[in-house]
Amino acid sequence: MDEAPLLAVSIGDLNGIAPHIAFLAHEEATTFCRPLYFTNAAMIEKAAKLLNHPIPDDFEIEHVSGEFTIKPGHISKKSGRYSFASFAKAVEFTTAGITQALVTLPIHKEAWHRAKIPYTGHTDYLRHRFKRQGIMALGTKELLVALYTDHIPLKEVASKIRKKPLKAFLLRLHRALTDLPLAQGPIAVLGLNPHGGDGGVLGKEEKKIAKAIAEANEEIGFQRFVGPLVPDSAFAPHMRSRYQLYVALYHDQGLAPLKALYFDESINLSLGFPIIRTSVDHGTAFDIAYKEKPKVTSYLNALRFAAELARRFEPSA
Amino acid sequence: MDEAPLLAVSIGDLNGIAPHIAFLAHEEATTFCRPLYFTNAAMIEKAAKLLNHPIPDDFEIEHVSGEFTIKPGHISKKSGRYSFASFAKAVEFTTAGITQALVTLPIHKEAWHRAKIPYTGHTDYLRHRFKRQGIMALGTKELLVALYTDHIPLKEVASKIRKKPLKAFLLRLHRALTDLPLAQGPIAVLGLNPHGGDGGVLGKEEKKIAKAIAEANEEIGFQRFVGPLVPDSAFAPHMRSRYQLYVALYHDQGLAPLKALYFDESINLSLGFPIIRTSVDHGTAFDIAYKEKPKVTSYLNALRFAAELARRFEPSA
């Protein structure tokens, strides 16, 4: 077996559940990877004291300067600034190849805003840092969903379904998967309308989708993409056994079935950047921070996913 | 235990899988209900011969006139006309209270069209017959989804989200459930936009939905409806444990998660008519008719659902 991959873990918002998750998951995590936490000893001691939880012996830390009082469940400028510093340094370590992949614990977007961090979140920063659009995928090893549109009102979705940008998206997705042990079989592209438009009676966007798929496949040289699939039956068990990766045309089209099936296990995966980045599929959970035991399934899966991809991925900036 | 309820079963399109399903499911079906098939002995003998399957001994038939040659997998005017005659008679028997509920086997819409039947399908006929709009629900006993809009293009959905018609829909749904052993707890109403609009940033329809819910609840006198729920997490396990019935604002919003979870088990349920009507959640499957063994899970569930509801429902025309 290979050596356990060294994973950069940004510590997230220390006022939230992130440090608790890191402690609780540590024993299992270290059976398959070496998480390297971007924080500092003083902050981790504060968190451990508040949580009344010992710091694991082999808890590895890469120093990120800064010290402040942890205020469980509070949106704080200081905590926002610190979580960004942790993330930015973890990105650089991974880009330089010191760490093999990046795993992010949840930050609080409003805390970043108060700290005047000019990015709306992790992905937004990665887009600026690498000058690439990237692709957001969510899910598990069994079922991954890549989003063609994400945070836009539903009423704006149909107008975004145009052949040229969809084809470009499919080609970007194909390239992003090069050398990754993901979606080696065909990728499913969903239709937009009930029954896939039913021959045009229930919507005409499926024609454009079909063209985008056909042209992307032609450029790639084989049938990389299949569809447009009828959306409501696309996630039925017999379909899921055929496809590991789906392209959803809008947020809830892909994420509602995904979360119905894999709510706690699901993770975020950023594709199309020169580094591997995974993330938990939940927020800072300020309501239970330093009070209740958070679930660690998503974090462990994010580490596992990153570890597996890291073994096969050669960073290329 | 009560006597097994007598259920009217319309035979569906005889060129499709319907008779095969009826035969295969018969033994199990008769452990909890008495299905009464609206067809005739000659047609059933033809189907049995073609299927090389014996007619079950206690296969009860209510005579519907008409005879024609079964052509497996063919869209036929004669078969269309016959499937309508079977359905219409089964509706009348149930309306008169001779049969306690109606279960429909799949018809072929194009065959009805060729037979000049002026209805687009079962539900369309029920709407005309009873002069009521009715409500289409799909699912299982664990998870039922009622559709606010159904067969319209996705781009038209947002404009349908208006307070008045949505409130009216909720009130109709509430009334349709009166005396039915369904959704005794609160009913979940989904939001329209990603993250439920995120406070208006990702869409503003949630305000109207919230008002419709509030006004419907006020008129009903208690919190019958809950929402708008964030759509993508609404079907996560911890949410499903709270709600048996969901109102989906559009077709795939409800049906994609439903089919991801319960593809083969799901049934159709018509609410808001003076009779109970359930149906299988699949079509005539002409491609496998008289060739492959069809699955009977959905049909058995449709019978079961009808049988359970029939025990509690007093027809009132």
Side-chain angles (χ1 to χ4, degrees):
Chain A
M1 198 185 136
D2 311 336
E3 209 181 318
L6 184 66
L7 305 179
V9 183
S10 57
I11 196 64
D13 196 303
L14 284 159
N15 288 350
I17 55 174
H20 204 175
I21 288 180
F23 291 166
L24 291 172
H26 195 72
E27 195 179 328
E28 188 167 340
T30 46
T31 63
F32 60 85
C33 70
R34 277 176 59 201
L36 177 63
Y37 291 93
F38 284 70
T39 179
N40 63 54
M43 291 311 299
I44 284 300
E45 270 159 33
K46 287 184 192 195
K49 205 173 159 190
L50 272 171
L51 289 165
N52 198 19
H53 194 290
I55 302 169
D57 278 342
D58 53 350
F59 199 81
E60 295 184 74
I61 287 174
E62 173 60 38
H63 186 82
V64 177
S65 304
E67 216 175 306
F68 60 95
T69 306
I70 292 173
K71 290 182 181 165
H74 277 73
I75 302 174
S76 129
K77 191 166 75 175
K78 286 178 185 168
S79 193
R81 190 185 300 134
Y82 192 79
S83 65
F84 176 73
S86 165
F87 170 57
K89 191 167 183 180
V91 169
E92 295 318 312
F93 265 56
T94 311
T95 308
I98 305 168
T99 41
Q100 288 168 264
L102 168 65
V103 179
T104 55
L105 282 164
I107 57 111
H108 198 285
K109 291 185 181 193
E110 176 60 21
W112 275 24
H113 182 69
R114 291 196 192 171
K116 299 202 176 6
I117 307 298
Y119 310 104
T120 59
H122 288 129
T123 310
D124 189 40
Y125 176 74
L126 294 175
R127 284 177 178 148
H128 282 83
R129 171 63 183 80
F130 297 116
K131 294 181 179 53
R132 294 197 195 171
Q133 266 190 286
I135 290 171
M136 190 159 106
L138 296 100
T140 67
K141 271 183 69 179
E142 289 75 34
L143 174 61
L144 264 180
V145 174
L147 297 180
Y148 172 63
T149 70
D150 44 49
H151 294 122
I152 61 169
L154 186 79
K155 73 173 175 186
E156 293 176 17
V157 169
S159 68
K160 304 275 181 201
I161 310 301
R162 284 174 291 124
K163 191 197 75 179
K164 217 173 141 182
L166 180 56
K167 176 186 169 185
F169 177 88
L170 297 178
L171 290 173
R172 277 198 291 129
L173 178 58
H174 170 67
R175 281 193 299 268
L177 293 167
T178 310
D179 299 329
L180 285 186
L182 273 183
Q184 321 244 299
I187 297 168
V189 182
L190 296 173
L192 183 74
N193 294 297
H195 305 185
D198 229 348
V201 185
L202 302 178
K204 302 193 187 306
E205 290 85 357
E206 275 70 17
K207 273 197 177 173
K208 298 177 202 173
I209 301 166
K211 271 191 193 162
I213 293 172
E215 291 187 15
N217 284 338
E218 203 186 313
E219 201 158 317
I220 292 164
F222 64 97
Q223 219 203 352
R224 186 69 169 116
F225 296 97
V226 172
L229 301 190
V230 171
D232 70 343
S233 57
F235 296 95
H238 65 284
M239 299 298 280
R240 280 186 277 125
S241 69
R242 279 182 228 166
Y243 306 109
Q244 182 189 20
L245 177 58
Y246 289 75
V247 173
L249 301 179
Y250 58 95
H251 189 273
D252 295 339
Q253 182 182 48
L255 301 191
L258 173 70
K259 293 189 178 185
L261 294 162
Y262 296 106
F263 187 69
D264 285 324
E265 295 106 282
S266 190
I267 66 138
N268 281 18
L269 169 64
S270 303
L271 293 168
F273 295 120
I275 59 171
I276 297 285
R277 178 246 172 173
T278 67
S279 165
V280 296
D281 186 24
H282 58 72
T284 50
F286 276 175
D287 53 326
I288 63 160
Y290 296 88
K291 285 190 281 192
E292 288 172 37
K293 228 177 179 173
K295 288 189 186 166
V296 298
T297 325
S298 179
Y299 178 55
L300 280 168
N301 283 353
L303 290 172
R304 255 186 221 107
F305 222 128
E308 283 181 37
L309 296 183
R311 291 183 195 283
R312 304 274 293 268
F313 188 72
E314 287 296 311
S316 60
Chain B
M1 200 186 133
D2 312 333
E3 210 181 317
L6 184 67
L7 305 179
V9 182
S10 57
I11 197 62
D13 196 304
L14 283 160
N15 288 349
I17 55 174
H20 204 177
I21 288 181
F23 291 165
L24 291 173
H26 194 70
E27 194 179 331
E28 188 167 340
T30 47
T31 62
F32 60 85
C33 72
R34 275 177 59 202
L36 177 62
Y37 290 93
F38 284 69
T39 179
N40 64 53
M43 291 312 298
I44 284 301
E45 271 158 33
K46 288 185 192 196
K49 205 173 160 190
L50 272 171
L51 289 165
N52 198 19
H53 194 292
I55 302 169
D57 278 343
D58 54 350
F59 199 81
E60 293 185 75
I61 287 174
E62 174 60 37
H63 186 83
V64 176
S65 305
E67 215 174 308
F68 60 96
T69 306
I70 293 173
K71 291 184 183 163
H74 276 73
I75 302 175
S76 126
K77 190 167 78 175
K78 285 178 185 167
S79 193
R81 189 185 300 135
Y82 192 78
S83 67
F84 177 72
S86 164
F87 170 57
K89 191 166 184 181
V91 169
E92 294 318 312
F93 265 57
T94 311
T95 308
I98 306 168
T99 42
Q100 289 168 263
L102 169 64
V103 179
T104 55
L105 282 165
I107 57 110
H108 198 284
K109 290 184 182 195
E110 177 60 21
W112 275 25
H113 182 68
R114 291 196 192 170
K116 300 204 174 8
I117 307 296
Y119 309 104
T120 59
H122 288 127
T123 310
D124 189 40
Y125 175 73
L126 294 174
R127 283 177 179 146
H128 281 84
R129 171 64 184 81
F130 297 116
K131 294 180 177 53
R132 294 197 194 171
Q133 266 190 286
I135 289 171
M136 192 159 106
L138 296 100
T140 67
K141 272 183 69 178
E142 290 75 34
L143 174 60
L144 263 180
V145 174
L147 297 180
Y148 171 63
T149 70
D150 44 49
H151 294 122
I152 60 170
L154 186 80
K155 71 172 176 187
E156 292 175 17
V157 169
S159 69
K160 304 276 182 201
I161 311 301
R162 285 174 291 122
K163 190 197 74 178
K164 219 174 141 181
L166 180 56
K167 176 186 168 185
F169 176 88
L170 298 178
L171 291 172
R172 276 198 291 131
L173 178 59
H174 169 67
R175 282 194 298 269
L177 294 167
T178 310
D179 300 328
L180 285 186
L182 273 182
Q184 320 245 299
I187 297 167
V189 182
L190 296 172
L192 183 73
N193 295 296
H195 306 184
D198 229 349
V201 184
L202 302 179
K204 302 194 186 305
E205 290 84 357
E206 275 71 16
K207 273 196 176 173
K208 298 177 201 172
I209 302 165
K211 271 191 192 162
I213 293 172
E215 291 187 15
N217 284 338
E218 203 186 313
E219 200 159 318
I220 292 164
F222 63 96
Q223 221 203 349
R224 186 69 171 115
F225 296 97
V226 172
L229 301 190
V230 171
D232 70 343
S233 57
F235 296 95
H238 66 284
M239 300 298 280
R240 280 186 276 126
S241 69
R242 279 181 228 166
Y243 307 108
Q244 183 190 18
L245 177 58
Y246 288 75
V247 174
L249 301 179
Y250 58 95
H251 189 273
D252 295 339
Q253 183 182 48
L255 301 192
L258 173 70
K259 294 189 177 184
L261 295 163
Y262 296 107
F263 186 70
D264 285 323
E265 294 106 282
S266 190
I267 65 138
N268 280 18
L269 169 64
S270 303
L271 292 168
F273 296 120
I275 60 171
I276 298 284
R277 178 245 171 174
T278 67
S279 165
V280 296
D281 186 23
H282 57 72
T284 49
F286 275 175
D287 53 326
I288 63 159
Y290 296 88
K291 285 191 279 192
E292 288 173 37
K293 230 177 179 173
K295 288 189 185 166
V296 298
T297 327
S298 179
Y299 177 55
L300 281 168
N301 284 352
L303 289 172
R304 255 186 219 105
F305 222 128
E308 282 181 37
L309 297 182
R311 293 183 193 282
R312 305 274 293 268
F313 188 72
E314 286 296 310
S316 60

